Amino acid sequence: MPFYNREHELGFLHEKHRAREAQLIVIYGKRRVGKTELAKHFFHDKPHLYYLADKLPEANQLSDLARKLGEHFNDSFLIERGFGRWEQVFAYLRDKTKNERLIFVVDEFPYLTDSNPAIPSLFQKGWDEYLKDTRVFLILLGSSVAMMESQVLGQKAPLYGRRTGQINVQPFAFGELDAMFPKKGFAERLSYWAALDGTPLYLLKFDPQLRFFDNVRRFMLSKGELLYEEVEFILRQELKEPRNYFSILRAISLGKRKMSEIANETGLPQNVLTKYLAVLRDLRIVGKEIPVTEMQPEKSKQGLYFITDNFFKFWFRFVFLNKSLLEEGRVDVVLKKVQTEFPQFLAGAYEEILPELLQRALRRMKSPLEFQYAGRWWLANQEIDLVALHPEQKTILLGEAKWSNKPVGTNVFEDLVAKAEWVEWQKKKRQTFFALFSKSGFTPAMIKLAKEKNVMLFRGEELL
């Protein structure tokens, strides 16, 4: 499988590997984001032992690990004898890594805790008593973000304070798709990102030789394909009661973003709904958005829920809601719906990447302008697609995006200036800037006005 980006993460791992001390590195992130590929790309030319944990009983896991270690060190006695407990694993590794560097990777570490909840404590003891003074390079990989944060990284976790480094592997940002699809134009790359998010495995499933909607038909709307079943597979892997979670995600995908709206759509009491939403937020499937000007988001009453992953968002809107038709094999009917509704869906994706486009442009310009926070803003019936702030410098930038086939005229800018008056943040002290983002460019009158008013104009992803 081709490997893209991740230069920073690889550089970090190589730097740690060059040190002589023992290392305990935690690599975590949601499923399919490329954690295992990152580790494999790092250790492929170095002495290593890779162990993929599963949900088998602990005795089977120890037996498998003994076989792998025995084969690696050509130790037939270990293969025959095996391990009876984890302490023996750590003692064996201590003896083998006193003077030699060995990368020991435990993938899907949370699966070990399924068979023995004491695993984090056992690994803490193994590190403290056997491994910390060796040359071992221990990597713990995990897809259960909530478990990794609570039982491995959290202050109350047994392994807290033992790790020598951690990497939270994130999906690719939109701009990182350039390397994967260098021959694709902006609109097509945005379509890929809107449908598949920045998840490497999903992006690589699409055939770059096919048109976008042909890829959607073949890989997302066709029974038997991985992307057709993927969301259901992930939710059933992660959740014990997927039915209610499906109902919640369906409601959000239909535009029900307030707690009261989701409750009305699902029929779930708000106290129960709160618990389900907390689980989905822990899994990084759902997020809660607050107007960017609110500096105490935990106290805000304006929070709106949203599906954080574009692939999940696309799947619930276009696959889940049309599952009956797709199961009947009426793929062309559903594809026509997708083609009709996708421009609106793509407009939402365009708005999501505005902070990234702004920051990229400011870096390229070497502009003195910088912003610490960026996101949407809303109040009552007023909404602004992008508000970027720097509290110390008291600077604010307000931006509007239009994904249409018509060039943006001066009326859009005038509306934005009027809406800016509703934004109370540092109103009497701030320095205000404006930006417009358009799929199809700008009218001559708007270009002239932008020069007079110093307005930043973006056509697609490029600053004019």
Side-chain angles (χ1 to χ4, degrees):
M1 179 181 291
F3 187 82
Y4 297 95
N5 304 317
R6 309 300 190 202
E7 289 85 0
H8 175 76
E9 293 88 343
L10 283 172
F12 173 80
L13 291 171
H14 287 306
E15 180 182 351
K16 289 291 186 180
H17 189 263
R18 285 192 291 269
R20 288 194 58 84
E21 299 82 11
Q23 301 290 332
L24 197 171
I25 308 295
V26 179
I27 301 178
Y28 68 110
K30 64 183 186 179
R31 293 185 185 279
R32 315 301 198 192
V33 81
K35 302 178 297 298
T36 301
E37 289 303 313
L38 170 64
K40 288 181 176 179
H41 204 74
F42 161 64
F43 67 57
H44 79 280
D45 58 350
K46 303 174 180 66
H48 67 272
L49 179 72
Y50 173 79
Y51 174 65
L52 176 61
D54 52 38
K55 295 186 177 183
L56 291 172
E58 186 175 49
N60 297 101
Q61 294 169 353
L62 289 169
S63 176
D64 289 346
L65 194 50
R67 178 178 52 79
K68 284 185 174 291
L69 278 166
E71 290 172 351
H72 180 84
F73 290 107
N74 196 24
D75 186 342
S76 58
F77 180 69
L78 175 62
I79 296 174
E80 183 178 340
R81 182 193 61 185
F83 292 124
R85 58 188 190 278
W86 280 99
E87 187 175 4
Q88 295 173 336
V89 178
F90 301 126
Y92 189 88
L93 283 170
R94 175 198 58 194
D95 295 339
K96 295 296 184 180
T97 59
K98 281 181 179 178
N99 301 307
E100 294 185 20
R101 182 66 107 189
L102 173 71
I103 300 170
F104 178 39
V105 181
V106 180
D107 202 348
E108 292 298 357
F109 181 72
Y111 284 172
L112 297 182
T113 66
D114 289 345
S115 59
N116 184 352
I119 282 292
S121 296
L122 292 172
F123 269 71
Q124 174 218 324
K125 182 179 179 181
W127 182 260
D128 290 347
E129 296 185 7
Y130 296 96
L131 300 180
K132 68 178 182 179
D133 296 320
T134 68
R135 298 207 63 214
V136 74
F137 196 103
L138 176 60
I139 298 178
L140 303 181
L141 280 161
S143 297
S144 178
V145 176
M147 180 274 173
M148 294 296 284
E149 290 183 340
S150 63
Q151 298 189 37
V152 179
L153 301 170
Q155 288 189 2
K156 296 182 180 179
L159 283 166
Y160 181 74
R162 274 75 181 176
R163 72 184 183 277
T164 58
Q166 68 187 59
I167 300 175
N168 182 359
V169 183
Q170 297 288 341
F172 292 151
F174 168 72
E176 293 178 290
L177 269 62
D178 293 359
M180 299 185 75
F181 307 107
K183 296 182 180 180
K184 302 291 185 184
F186 170 71
E188 192 166 6
R189 279 184 285 114
L190 183 62
S191 297
Y192 274 56
W193 190 78
L196 303 170
D197 206 77
T199 306
L201 178 67
Y202 305 158
L203 291 163
L204 291 169
K205 283 289 179 184
F206 270 26
D207 183 346
Q209 304 303 318
L210 295 179
R211 293 179 301 176
F212 173 75
F213 286 113
D214 291 335
N215 270 310
V216 169
R217 187 188 196 288
R218 178 175 172 184
F219 296 108
M220 301 187 80
L221 303 182
S222 299
K223 290 192 295 182
E225 291 291 339
L226 180 143
L227 297 180
Y228 180 79
E229 306 282 355
E230 176 73 350
V231 170
E232 291 175 287
F233 169 78
I234 290 176
L235 292 179
R236 291 194 173 107
Q237 281 282 105
E238 299 286 354
L239 302 167
K240 294 180 180 178
E241 303 173 33
R243 183 168 56 87
N244 285 332
Y245 291 101
F246 271 92
S247 178
I248 293 167
L249 291 167
R250 174 186 177 276
I252 297 174
S253 72
L254 289 171
K256 314 300 182 182
R257 301 191 59 194
K258 296 180 181 179
M259 175 76 77
S260 58
E261 293 174 341
I262 300 171
N264 289 337
E265 181 69 26
T266 61
L268 294 170
Q270 287 201 19
N271 62 327
V272 175
L273 182 58
T274 299
K275 295 177 182 178
Y276 283 126
L277 285 169
V279 173
L280 290 171
R281 291 178 71 183
D282 284 342
L283 293 172
R284 307 295 196 270
I285 295 172
V286 164
K288 190 176 183 182
E289 187 179 21
I290 307 296
V292 71
T293 54
E294 297 204 18
M295 294 295 104
Q296 294 181 304
E298 67 281 355
K299 295 183 179 180
S300 175
K301 296 182 179 179
Q302 294 201 68
L304 300 176
Y305 292 93
F306 67 103
I307 298 176
T308 57
D309 186 309
N310 284 336
F311 173 68
F312 272 68
K313 199 180 300 179
F314 183 98
W315 190 90
F316 271 95
R317 176 156 176 181
F318 296 115
V319 179
F320 186 69
L321 292 180
N322 295 295
K323 205 67 183 289
S324 297
L325 289 170
L326 292 171
E327 288 295 317
E328 291 176 19
R330 300 175 67 185
V331 177
D332 290 329
V333 174
V334 177
L335 181 63
K336 190 173 181 178
K337 286 187 176 184
V338 176
Q339 291 170 321
T340 301
E341 299 176 21
F342 193 70
Q344 181 189 12
F345 189 83
L346 199 56
Y350 188 41
E351 292 175 11
E352 287 181 33
I353 66 169
L354 299 186
E356 183 181 342
L357 300 185
L358 174 64
Q359 293 293 356
R360 192 197 308 178
L362 292 176
R363 284 196 299 270
R364 287 176 178 171
M365 293 166 59
K366 297 183 179 178
S367 169
L369 271 181
E370 57 177 309
F371 299 100
Q372 294 180 342
Y373 307 97
R376 290 196 316 127
W377 174 91
W378 63 91
L379 180 68
N381 294 323
Q382 303 297 327
E383 182 178 329
I384 300 176
D385 297 331
L386 173 67
V387 173
L389 313 167
H390 195 302
E392 287 78 17
Q393 297 179 6
K394 295 182 174 56
T395 51
I396 183 171
L397 180 142
L398 304 103
E400 199 77 16
K402 296 296 178 184
W403 190 261
S404 76
N405 294 324
K406 298 171 65 175
V408 168
T410 57
N411 61 311
V412 175
F413 174 66
E414 291 162 0
D415 288 345
L416 179 60
V417 172
K419 285 192 285 187
E421 291 299 310
W422 287 80
V423 183
E424 294 293 334
W425 184 85
Q426 300 283 358
K427 196 168 186 180
K428 295 181 179 179
K429 303 176 182 178
R430 72 195 186 197
Q431 186 179 10
T432 304
F433 301 88
F434 294 96
L436 296 179
F437 300 79
S438 169
K439 172 190 175 184
S440 305
F442 304 88
T443 63
M446 185 61 238
I447 293 173
K448 180 182 178 183
L449 183 61
K451 292 177 181 178
E452 296 171 0
K453 301 289 186 179
N454 198 27
V455 182
M456 300 175 73
L457 298 182
F458 289 78
R459 178 169 183 165
E461 63 185 328
E462 295 299 331
L463 176 68
L464 300 183

